């Protein structure tokens, strides 16, 4: 190849499973002298995503062909076929255009009933897509705020009791 290239996902002919390949030209004095390449199993990518420590939502690694290369829940394969983005998205996001959904953003965007974060992955043609629903977000935040609410209520009650006591005196 004249430049770096990633393949779409394919089944390894030797039986290793689904994989993607990368090839990069090797040049000497601006002359192409060869190509170096590597193949990565999608099982490795899925294991990598599953190792992320996140308490809610779903995470997918998607290529330009909208193939789901890896999924945080391990669901990127359906039998012998690789799932596509539309197969794994929550119902409320399936009507959106993939270009809108996968547009990189520095912060979360609210699309329909979900919070979405999309980031490109280095120099690959892949996008890391994170989706969390409002219910999951509430379930994540509320327990962390509850102790502070209890402390605040106790402080207010203390102030009210102190005020009432001073009024009696």
């Amino acid at each position: 190849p004249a430049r770096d290239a990633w393949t779409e996902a394919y089944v390894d002919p030797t039986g290793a499973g689904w994989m993607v390949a990368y090839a990069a030209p090797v040049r000497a004095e601006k002359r192409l002298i060869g190509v170096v390449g590597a193949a990565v199993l999608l099982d490795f990518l899925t294991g990598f995503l599953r190792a992320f420590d996140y308490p809610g939502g779903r995470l997918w690694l998607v290529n330009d062909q909208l193939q789901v290369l890896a999924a945080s829940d391990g669901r990127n394969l359906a039998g012998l076929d690789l799932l596509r983005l539309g197969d794994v998205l929550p119902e409320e996001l399936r009507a959106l255009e993939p270009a809108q959904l996968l547009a990189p953003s520095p912060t979360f965007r609210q699309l329909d009933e979900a919070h979405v974060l999309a980031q490109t992955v280095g120099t690959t043609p892949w996008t890391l897509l994170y989706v969390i629903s409002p219910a999951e977000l509430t379930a994540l935040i509320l327990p962390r705020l509850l102790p502070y609410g209890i402390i605040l209520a106790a402080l207010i009650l203390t102030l009210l009791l102190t005020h009432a006591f001073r009024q009696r005196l």
Side-chain angles (χ1 to χ4, degrees), residues 97-110:
E97 287 294 320
Q100 178 187 8
L101 188 62
L102 297 175
S105 60
T107 60
F108 278 92
R109 298 174 289 153
Q110 186 164 355

Side-chain angles (χ1 to χ4, degrees), residues 8-33:
E8 65 181 56
Y10 62 93
V11 177
D12 178 53
T14 64
W18 282 91
M19 58 179 29
V20 290
Y22 174 73
V26 177
R27 299 183 186 280
E29 299 175 5
K30 297 185 181 181
R31 200 179 91 221
L32 181 66
I33 61 170

Side-chain angles (χ1 to χ4, degrees), residues 120-131:
T120 56
V121 179
T123 59
T124 69
W126 304 340
T127 302
L128 190 61
L129 181 65
Y130 180 64
V131 175

